[in-house]
Amino acid sequence: MQLGKATLASNELMTILGGFLGSIFFVLSLTAVGNFEKLFFGYGSQVKIAEVILCLMASMFVSSLVHRVSVTTCLIFSIIALYYINRVSQSVYTIQPAQVYKKKK
């Protein structure tokens, strides 16, 4: 994002685009951290809130190097992306509880 800093800070729409690029960096870094944990700690490991905050702060820092408005839009887009990541994860990885049938006497 530093290579296109002048372009991304040139007008309002480009600063919003800078925040969107920051949120893409958030999603990619969160995926990388999750894959790292699965690789080294086993399949049962999950990304916790500390890792999410760390990736969010890193993406907001990257966006802050472009423009102040990009930080805010990065936060908004990242929260929206995190919501949809959580929704997809819940639908794919949630185990449905087995139904218990009672015998009638």
Side-chain angles (χ1 to χ4, degrees):
M1 288 175 56
Q2 280 292 306
L3 295 175
K5 179 179 179 178
T7 307
L8 289 174
S10 63
N11 60 22
E12 295 173 1
L13 289 177
M14 294 303 281
T15 56
I16 293 172
L17 179 65
F20 182 72
L21 291 175
S23 71
I24 290 174
F25 178 76
F26 167 72
V27 170
L28 294 176
S29 63
L30 189 64
T31 304
V33 168
N35 288 339
F36 176 80
E37 286 186 358
K38 293 255 191 236
L39 181 67
F40 287 102
F41 302 126
Y43 185 74
S45 66
Q46 297 177 352
V47 176
K48 304 282 192 246
I49 190 73
E51 290 92 352
V52 172
I53 291 173
L54 177 73
C55 292
L56 184 61
M57 290 299 151
S59 65
M60 288 173 64
F61 175 73
V62 169
S63 295
S64 73
L65 296 175
V66 174
H67 197 273
R68 289 179 294 182
V69 176
S70 295
V71 177
T72 308
T73 56
C74 174
L75 177 67
I76 293 168
F77 286 133
S78 297
I79 289 173
I80 292 169
L82 186 63
Y83 170 75
Y84 283 108
I85 289 170
N86 186 29
R87 237 176 106 181
V88 169
S89 175
Q90 290 296 324
S91 67
V92 171
Y93 294 110
T94 302
I95 299 172
Q96 298 294 330
Q99 294 181 351
V100 178
Y101 295 103
K102 295 182 181 180
K103 290 185 178 181
K104 292 183 180 181
K105 291 184 179 181

